[in-house]
Amino acid sequence: MQTELSNQLGVEHAVFGFTPFPAVAAAISRAGGFGVLGAVRYTAPDDLKRDLDWIEAHVGGRPYGLDVVMPAKKVEGVTEADVEAMIPDTHRKFVEDTLAEYGVPEFPEGEASGWRITGWMEQVARTQLDVAFDYPIRLLANALGSPPADVVARAHERGVLVAALAGSARHARKHKAAGIDVVVAQGYEAGGHTGEIATMVLTPEVVDAVDPLPVLAAGGIGSGRQAAAALALGAQGVWLGSVWLTTTEADLTSPGLTRKLLAAGSGDTVRSRALTGKPARQLRTAWTDAWDDPEGPGALPMPLQGLLVADAVSRIQRYEVEPLLGTPVGQIVGRMTSERSVQAVFDDLTRGFEEAVDRVNRIAGRSGT
C-alpha cells in the first residue's frame, strides 16, 4: 500500500492513524503506517513532552506526526478566563440539571477533572508546537484547517510537512493557497468535526481541486477494500481515527465506553454540537439528545461549549454513567465489533487491500499480482 507520499515519508503503508493515545500512535508507526498523536488534550507542555519522549522510546525509529487544533487567524490577548466569563449562567444550570437528572456524582472535595478542552485556543496550541518542534516529527496536521502562516513557515523551516483537514473542495483550495503540503479530505461519515459531504463524493473533488498536492481520504474508512477505493479515487493514502479506539493499546479508561463502542451500529452516531460547539460526529447518547433538543438552550459556539462541558464529561466518564457516556467516533463504528491489537488491524487492512486490488484486476481482465 505504497504511494508517492508514503515513500516520501518513509513508511511502508499509506495509512495515517490519528489517535489521542501515545501507545497507539507508536504502534501504528511500528506496524508500517504513520502514527499521528492528537495534541488537543495537552494543556500542560510538560505532559506533551512526557508523551513525545515515550513515543521516541517506543516508535522504533519510525516516523510520526502531531495533530493540533488552532485557528488560521491570530487573536491577541484572549485568556481562558476571558472565555470562561462569556458562558451564560443559564447554560451552566442546564449542565448541572442534566447531570442531576441522571445521578452523576460530584468529584470528591478538592479534586478537579484535570481535563480541559482548551487545546484549540491559539496560545495553547502554540505552546504545544514549541515542544513538538524539538522532536523529529515529520508531519504537522491541523484539524481546523490551515494553521497561521507563521506556523506553516516554521514547520517548513524544519522540513516538516503541513497537513490540513477539509470538508469541501472550496476549503481545500484555500489550504493549497496557504502553502499546505497535504490535504485530508474528511467526509461526513468521519468521527469528530465533519462537514456535510460524503467521502465518496468529497475525495475526487478535493483531488481535482488541489492537484498536484497529495490528498488523504478520511471518513468511514476502516477496511482494506475501503482503502483501495480511496486510492482508486485519487487519494495517496487514508487517514483513520475511529478504528483505533477499540484497539488493545488504546487507553479509554472506561470499560463501559469500550462496551458501548463494540455494541454500536453504524446508525448509532450523530453530528452534534454538544461536545465542542461545532458539529462533531459522536455516539448518540442522552447527553447529545439533551443538547440537540429544541426545548433546551442549545450549544454555545466554540470554544465556549468545550469549556462549559469539560468537567461534566469527565464526571460522566469517571463514574461511567452509561446513558450519557459517549465519545467522538465515525460511522465505521458498526464494523468495530471486537478488541484487537493495532497490528491485527493492520494485518486486516493490508490483506483486504490486496484482495480488493486482485478483484479489480480480475474484473479488468488482468491477472492478480
Side-chain angles (χ1 to χ4, degrees):
M1 214 188 300
Q2 294 180 340
T3 65
E4 184 178 343
L5 179 61
S6 65
N7 290 334
Q8 180 181 357
L9 289 169
V11 295
E12 183 179 356
H13 304 298
V15 175
F16 293 72
F18 164 81
T19 175
F21 307 117
V24 175
I28 290 169
S29 290
R30 289 198 308 271
F34 190 95
V36 181
L37 179 67
V40 70
R41 66 191 179 99
Y42 293 98
T43 56
D46 286 347
D47 291 341
L48 179 59
K49 182 179 186 303
R50 176 201 63 216
D51 284 355
L52 289 175
D53 283 340
W54 191 95
I55 289 177
E56 274 291 296
H58 293 84
V59 81
R62 304 291 183 91
Y64 62 94
L66 191 76
D67 179 279
V68 296
V69 181
M70 65 189 307
K73 295 182 179 179
K74 187 176 179 63
V75 180
E76 298 282 1
V78 178
T79 67
E80 182 178 337
D82 294 332
V83 178
E84 286 268 16
M86 301 177 190
I87 298 174
D89 290 339
T90 52
H91 282 73
R92 296 187 187 278
K93 184 177 186 302
F94 181 76
V95 168
E96 290 306 318
D97 288 348
T98 304
L99 296 177
E101 179 183 351
Y102 288 90
V104 181
E106 296 273 2
F107 283 118
E109 187 175 351
E111 182 178 329
S113 71
W115 180 77
R116 305 289 285 167
I117 308 180
T118 56
W120 50 64
M121 297 179 68
E122 183 180 350
Q123 65 269 30
V124 177
R126 285 183 177 275
T127 63
Q128 295 166 350
L129 294 177
D130 289 339
V131 172
F133 284 139
D134 286 335
Y135 291 81
I137 62 170
R138 296 292 308 281
L139 178 77
L140 173 66
N142 187 33
L144 282 186
S146 303
D150 68 295
V151 172
V152 175
R154 190 177 173 191
H156 287 167
E157 287 170 1
R158 290 161 172 78
V160 177
L161 297 181
V162 180
L165 275 65
S168 71
R170 178 174 60 87
H171 292 155
R173 291 188 191 98
K174 289 183 178 180
H175 297 340
K176 183 179 181 181
I180 298 302
D181 305 293
V182 181
V183 177
V184 181
Q186 179 164 281
Y188 173 82
E189 306 94 323
H193 298 128
T194 68
E196 298 183 349
I197 304 174
T199 304
M200 180 66 74
V201 174
L202 179 65
T203 302
E205 286 186 354
V206 171
V207 168
D208 291 344
V210 302
D211 184 62
L213 291 186
V215 172
L216 300 176
I221 301 173
S223 70
R225 54 186 164 175
Q226 290 172 311
L231 269 58
L233 294 172
Q236 286 201 29
V238 290
W239 177 276
L240 310 183
S242 297
V243 293
W244 316 114
L245 290 173
T246 52
T247 56
T248 53
E249 292 90 346
D251 181 19
L252 282 179
T253 72
S254 171
L257 182 53
T258 299
R259 288 194 298 270
K260 288 189 74 171
L261 287 169
L262 295 176
S266 297
D268 292 328
T269 69
V270 63
R271 284 174 78 242
S272 171
R273 299 178 186 269
L275 185 61
T276 70
K278 286 174 66 72
R281 186 171 297 284
Q282 55 203 281
L283 281 180
R284 182 174 183 175
T285 66
W287 180 255
T288 61
D289 287 347
W291 283 105
D292 295 340
D293 188 340
E295 299 297 321
L300 296 168
M302 178 185 275
L304 301 182
Q305 182 73 10
L307 289 171
L308 170 66
V309 305
D311 285 346
V313 171
S314 291
R315 285 165 58 187
I316 291 166
Q317 293 178 345
R318 164 81 173 267
Y319 298 108
E320 296 196 90
V321 182
E322 189 162 333
L324 304 177
L325 193 60
T327 186
V329 69
Q331 291 181 330
I332 196 64
V333 70
R335 294 181 60 89
M336 295 157 49
T337 57
S338 64
E339 289 188 77
R340 299 181 294 167
S341 68
V342 168
Q343 184 62 60
V345 172
F346 260 89
D347 290 343
D348 280 351
L349 283 169
T350 54
R351 181 168 54 249
F353 179 84
E354 291 172 358
E355 291 172 352
V357 171
D358 285 346
R359 186 181 307 116
V360 172
N361 279 333
R362 290 195 298 272
I363 291 170
R366 303 183 182 94
S367 59
T369 57

